[in-house]
């Protein structure tokens, strides 16, 4: 009765859960080698070194020649060794095929890939590899920015892998997927899924997991844009609006658009340098003008614009008896040398990577974040 229950249980189990025995082939090989060596020892009286050497040249089919002329009993041992070798080879082939069918090698590659993802730092997580996602990936790859694509669709994930991109095949709307993608170590996350609802889920999940992460989302309507911003997206981009603005700018200012295209293919980068809202963090830089700071001479970087901190009720700071009220959020393009630094300002700066790194060192503790804008 117990034997019948055991057979029925084995039949009901799916093939993927059946117990594999990958140790059978190496165990059979060890047993075969030692038994054959013992057989030569007993029939021919050789030393152990000669016995194992005879086993090695026989089972490997090299066949340099017999150590010494074999007796009939020794030849029988050789025949049995050859037959046993064929059995071991068959067991090995069956084991490899069994591992392949069970997906062992695929799981091994996935486990190795997921371990590699955990080592990524300062990368961009791209959720979705559709038409918009492909263009985003091309731009980031051109700038050699570390990129991780999160895509659930098999066809799109295969297309990204064919492009040579690291792809995490998972649902980007799940918290565990974003955690696995390194949401806490990334520089930004781009939600470029074809569905507004899916992008909203991604933004909600990402903002809840990493409040300081920069989130960029795609939207197809004004209502979706409003909801994405309420969910916590730092920037919402509509392909239709962006495309229309680019076409209008090309019609009105073609040289400016051409300049931005040339800038995208150069070594220059445009980055946002956000200053601390606490006047004490600015130290000697507080109320210092751009002319006094001499950014161009000391770093070679060019300040394109200055944006004061966004207005807020509590954005009033006191430092050494002086009250500083953060300015209203307006963009000051091409600021003059007499423009003075203030708490919470954002400097839009263009320069090479080395120049921007020098500027980072110059600002020091006054700097709280750096956001990459364009290249």
């Amino acid at each position: 009765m117990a034997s019948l229950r055991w057979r029925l249980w084995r039949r009901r189990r799916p093939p993927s859960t059946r117990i594999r025995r990958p140790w059978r082939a190496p165990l059979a090989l060890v047993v075969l080698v030692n038994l054959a060596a013992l057989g030569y020892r007993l029939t021919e009286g050789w030393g152990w070194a000669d016995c194992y050497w005879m086993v090695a040249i026989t089972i490997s089919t090299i066949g340099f020649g017999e150590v010494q002329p074999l007796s009939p009993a020794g030849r029988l041992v050789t025949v049995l060794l050859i037959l046993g070798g064929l059995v071991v080879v068959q067991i090995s082939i069956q084991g490899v095929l069994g591992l392949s069918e069970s997906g062992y090698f695929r799981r091994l590659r996935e486990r190795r890939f997921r371990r590699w993802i955990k080592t990524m730092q300062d990368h961009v997580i791209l959720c979705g590899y559709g038409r918009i996602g492909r263009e985003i990936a091309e731009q980031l790859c051109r700038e050699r920015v570390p990129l991780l694509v999160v895509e659930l669709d098999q066809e799109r994930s295969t297309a990204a892998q064919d492009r040579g991109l690291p792809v995490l095949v998972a649902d980007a709307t799940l918290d565990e997927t974003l955690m696995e993608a390194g949401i806490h170590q990334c520089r930004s996350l781009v939600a470029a899924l074809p569905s507004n609802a899916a992008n909203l889920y991604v933004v909600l999940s990402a903002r809840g997991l990493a409040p300081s992460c920069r989130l960029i989302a795609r939207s197809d309507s004004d209502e979706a844009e409003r909801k994405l911003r309420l969910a916590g997206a730092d920037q919402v981009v509509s392909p239709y609006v962006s495309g229309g603005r680019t076409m209008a700018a090309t019609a009105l200012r073609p040289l400016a658009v051409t300049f931005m295209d040339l800038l995208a293919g150069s070594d220059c980068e445009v980055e946002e340098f956000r200053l601390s809202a606490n006047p004490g963090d600015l130290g000697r830089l507080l109320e210092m003008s751009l002319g006094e700071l001499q950014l161009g001479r000391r770093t070679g970087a060019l300040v394109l614009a200055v944006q004061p901190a966004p207005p807020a009720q509590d954005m009033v700071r006191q430092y050494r008896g002086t009250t500083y009220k953060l300015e209203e959020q307006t963009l000051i393009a091409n600021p003059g040398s007499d423009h003075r630094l203030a708490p919470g300002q954002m400097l839009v700066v263009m320069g090479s990577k080395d120049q921007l790194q020098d500027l980072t060192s110059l600002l020091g503790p006054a700097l709280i974040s750096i956001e990459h804008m364009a290249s």
Side-chain angles (χ1 to χ4, degrees):
M1 188 66 179
S3 177
L4 178 59
R5 290 180 179 177
W6 169 255
R7 288 197 298 269
L8 291 175
W9 180 73
R10 284 183 57 86
R11 288 181 181 178
R12 291 175 181 174
R13 283 192 306 163
S16 58
T17 62
R18 291 180 182 174
I19 301 175
R20 302 291 178 180
R21 298 181 178 84
W23 42 265
R24 290 187 302 176
L27 179 61
L29 180 61
V30 171
V31 172
L32 178 65
V33 169
N34 287 279
L35 288 178
L38 180 62
Y40 285 125
R41 175 80 174 181
L42 297 177
T43 57
E44 305 299 325
W46 297 340
W48 286 112
D50 290 339
C51 292
Y52 280 107
W53 173 249
M54 186 64 185
V55 172
I57 62 177
T58 302
I59 201 172
S60 63
T61 70
I62 295 177
F64 286 120
E66 299 172 355
V67 177
Q68 296 178 14
L70 292 174
S71 64
R75 293 178 180 177
L76 178 61
V77 173
T78 303
V79 171
L80 295 176
L81 175 60
I82 294 174
L83 295 177
L86 294 176
V87 174
V88 170
V89 170
Q90 182 182 7
I91 294 176
S92 301
I93 294 176
Q94 290 178 349
V96 172
L97 292 178
L99 291 176
S100 300
E101 292 174 357
S102 64
Y104 171 78
F105 297 109
R106 176 179 54 81
R107 292 195 300 270
L108 188 63
R109 289 192 300 268
E110 291 179 355
R111 193 179 301 115
R112 188 183 303 114
F113 174 70
R114 295 176 189 276
R115 285 199 300 264
W116 175 78
I117 290 177
K118 294 180 180 180
T119 64
M120 297 187 71
Q121 297 285 337
D122 199 30
H123 60 289
V124 175
I125 301 175
L126 175 59
C127 301
Y129 194 72
R131 290 178 294 179
I132 301 298
R134 287 189 180 93
E135 184 61 29
I136 297 173
E138 291 295 330
Q139 293 291 334
L140 294 176
C141 291
R142 190 177 296 116
E143 299 302 325
R144 299 179 181 178
V145 177
L147 173 66
L148 175 64
V149 178
V150 181
E151 178 59 70
L152 184 60
D153 185 81
Q154 187 62 41
E155 183 178 352
R156 293 176 180 175
S157 61
T158 302
Q161 291 171 350
D162 294 340
R163 176 61 179 79
L165 301 174
V167 181
L168 178 61
V169 183
D171 188 356
T173 61
L174 301 180
D175 290 354
E176 52 266 27
T177 300
L178 299 181
M179 292 286 291
E180 189 175 3
I183 186 68
H184 295 292
Q185 294 83 30
C186 71
R187 66 189 301 175
S188 59
L189 181 144
V190 181
L193 297 171
S195 170
N196 291 327
N199 289 326
L200 182 62
Y201 272 111
V202 172
V203 171
L204 283 172
S205 300
R207 183 56 71 207
L209 293 173
S212 61
C213 180
R214 182 174 178 82
L215 304 180
I216 302 97
R218 169 196 172 181
S219 71
D220 294 335
S221 63
D222 295 338
E223 182 180 0
E225 178 180 355
R226 179 176 58 85
K227 292 181 179 180
L228 285 168
R229 291 189 181 277
L230 289 175
D234 297 289
Q235 190 71 30
V236 180
V237 179
S238 172
Y240 308 107
V241 174
S242 300
R245 289 177 179 175
T246 301
M247 295 177 69
T250 304
L252 299 176
R253 292 175 291 275
L255 294 180
V257 178
T258 303
F259 171 75
M260 294 304 297
D261 291 337
L262 293 175
L263 183 62
S266 66
D267 293 335
C268 291
E269 296 182 357
V270 179
E271 292 189 352
E272 304 171 354
F273 290 79
R274 175 71 67 178
L275 301 180
S276 173
N278 184 6
D281 295 337
L282 271 65
R284 61 180 181 82
L285 300 178
L286 186 63
E287 294 295 340
M288 183 178 289
S289 66
L290 295 178
E292 295 171 346
L293 194 57
Q294 295 183 346
L295 294 179
R297 184 182 65 83
R298 300 171 68 176
T299 65
L302 176 63
V303 179
L304 300 178
V306 176
Q307 184 184 57
Q313 296 179 355
D314 60 342
M315 298 191 73
V316 178
R317 301 288 187 269
Q318 288 189 353
Y319 180 65
R320 293 181 179 178
T322 304
T323 301
Y324 292 91
K325 183 176 181 180
L326 303 186
E327 308 168 55
E328 296 295 323
Q329 190 175 19
T330 56
L331 184 66
I332 304 174
N334 192 22
S337 59
D338 58 342
H339 183 86
R340 299 186 177 276
L341 300 181
Q345 282 184 343
M346 182 182 68
L347 307 180
V348 182
V349 185
M350 181 178 69
S352 64
K353 292 184 178 180
D354 293 337
Q355 292 171 344
L356 296 177
Q357 183 62 40
D358 294 339
L359 179 59
T360 303
S361 303
L362 179 62
L363 295 178
L367 187 64
I368 60 173
S369 68
I370 304 174
E371 297 294 344
H372 182 79
M373 290 181 57
S375 300

